Amino acid sequence: MIEAKNIWKSYGDAVILEGINITVQEGEFVTLVGTSGCGKSTFLKMLLGTESISKGSLLLDGKPIPSEPGADRGIVFQQYSVFPHMTVLDNVIAAKGFLKRSLTGYLFGKEAKAARAEATTMLEEVGLSHALKRYPHELSGGMKQRLAIAQALIAKPRILLLDEPFGALDPGIRADMHKLVLKLWREYKLTVFMVTHDLKEGFYLGTRLWVFDKLRIDEQAPNAYGATITYDLSVGEMASDLYQEINDKVGQDEQEPPTETSA
Ligand SMILES: Nc1ncnc2c1ncn2[C@@H]1O[C@H](COP(=O)(O)OP(=O)(O)OP(=O)(O)O)[C@@H](O)[C@H]1O
């Protein structure tokens, strides 16, 4: 369904990504780990369509990924990306793009009712039905991310891109968010790509884990080479020594291999 063929990405003289070749089937949950600045978010933005590809091709169902975001791809960032002046419910209605159709900024009649009903259902799905009338500044970090997820899913995307969505949340809240994401992934049959700094989170949530790293390094010219996918693992294949090796590479300080899997 998604195919990357020899993808390269440079910013000016700096090579960020090189030689990426992957195929991802519908319904996979791919987690992306790697050192800071190695190009994980850049790769996600290529999938979203907001970042160009310097060389190679990125195909969705055999066709180049459009060079702008579309309803088939939703994204949630680490930084809260909700509209501060709108209620929770209006945030989701706005994300669907309903409001754009009205000159006055408001919807009327059947269309407004349908939009409201759909947004309300989506907010129930993410556990925010008690907060429809609240404003973002009245929400906790976890609630804001629930709202961002509802905004991303209201357009019924096939692909959900998550860029460290839980990085700013406390561990207990993160565990709740993990349950939510796994539930939505199954329920909506999504294909998920999620960047995380937390290797355990990557193993727990993903069906497949990618490690981004540089294979070639020139001390004299640190920008000469980019990162590529050095490990492409099905979750469950993990041996503890390999876990430790990856852990050392991506700069995590956790020592224990994960015991849970999402299977
Ligand atoms: N628009 C841009 N122009 C120039 N350089 C950029 C641009 N966007 C990203 N970069 C550079 O590309 C590299 C990869 O950035 P990216 O955000 O993809 O890394 P990352 O792996 O997601 O990092 P982190 O884990 O810290 O979020 C970095 O060196 C960054 O400074």
Side-chain angles (χ1 to χ4, degrees):
M1 170 215 186
I2 290 173
E3 222 180 333
K5 292 184 178 172
N6 194 25
I7 291 207
W8 289 66
K9 175 68 186 176
S10 305
Y11 288 115
D13 291 342
V15 182
I16 307 298
L17 295 170
E18 62 177 57
I20 292 185
N21 289 290
I22 47 97
T23 303
V24 175
Q25 300 302 330
E26 198 144 6
E28 290 197 69
F29 193 134
V30 185
T31 51
L32 289 67
V33 300
T35 51
S36 185
C38 71
K40 306 176 296 293
S41 297
T42 301
F43 188 75
L44 228 53
K45 287 181 200 156
M46 288 175 174
L47 288 168
L48 183 64
T50 55
E51 198 57 77
S52 64
I53 297 158
S54 305
K55 210 168 88 182
S57 54
L58 189 54
L59 308 175
L60 173 59
D61 296 333
K63 296 183 197 127
I65 287 221
S67 57
E68 56 186 38
D72 54 355
R73 285 152 290 144
I75 189 156
V76 176
F77 298 100
Q78 177 176 0
Q79 291 307 323
Y80 313 122
S81 53
V82 297
F83 305 118
H85 59 291
M86 288 184 185
T87 64
V88 163
L89 182 59
D90 285 341
N91 255 285
V92 179
I93 294 171
K96 176 98 180 164
F98 282 119
L99 292 178
K100 283 187 203 150
R101 289 198 222 150
S102 161
L103 284 177
T104 60
Y106 293 98
L107 293 167
F108 298 99
K110 274 187 191 165
E111 204 177 29
K113 245 186 170 171
R116 188 163 286 271
E118 204 179 328
T120 305
T121 305
M122 186 50 73
L123 285 162
E124 269 166 31
E125 286 274 20
V126 301
L128 282 182
S129 51
H130 62 293
L132 300 185
K133 291 187 178 159
R134 288 205 212 166
Y135 285 85
H137 73 269
E138 299 171 303
L139 306 179
S140 67
M143 290 167 85
K144 278 186 202 155
Q145 287 310 66
R146 285 173 189 268
L147 175 54
I149 291 171
Q151 284 183 311
L153 291 185
I154 193 74
K156 302 272 184 291
R158 297 162 62 199
I159 300 165
L160 182 62
L161 306 167
L162 303 170
D163 198 349
E164 290 194 58
F166 314 134
L169 304 178
D170 293 338
I173 307 291
R174 286 173 82 137
D176 291 342
M177 299 303 286
H178 291 164
K179 278 188 209 143
L180 174 66
V181 151
L182 289 174
K183 180 191 96 156
L184 296 170
W185 167 59
R186 292 191 183 110
E187 206 170 298
Y188 290 91
K189 300 187 175 11
L190 298 163
T191 305
V192 178
F193 293 86
M194 175 171 163
V195 173
T196 178
H197 268 117
D198 181 343
L199 190 54
K200 272 191 182 165
E201 182 175 77
F203 274 105
Y204 175 59
L205 290 177
T207 55
R208 184 171 176 183
L209 180 131
W210 292 344
V211 180
F212 282 70
D213 199 5
K214 286 190 183 190
L215 285 175
R216 308 187 285 173
I217 293 173
D218 181 345
E219 302 289 344
Q220 309 306 317
N223 291 333
Y225 300 112
T228 192
I229 296 174
T230 52
Y231 289 100
D232 177 356
L233 302 163
S234 288
V235 169
E237 278 180 3
M238 181 56 43
S240 60
D241 50 349
L242 184 53
Y243 177 89
Q244 198 56 56
E245 191 180 323
I246 297 170
N247 200 41
D248 293 344
K249 283 215 167 94
V250 300
Q252 302 287 311
D253 53 12
E254 300 279 0
Q255 296 300 315
E256 296 294 318
T259 50
E260 298 167 292
T261 71
S262 57

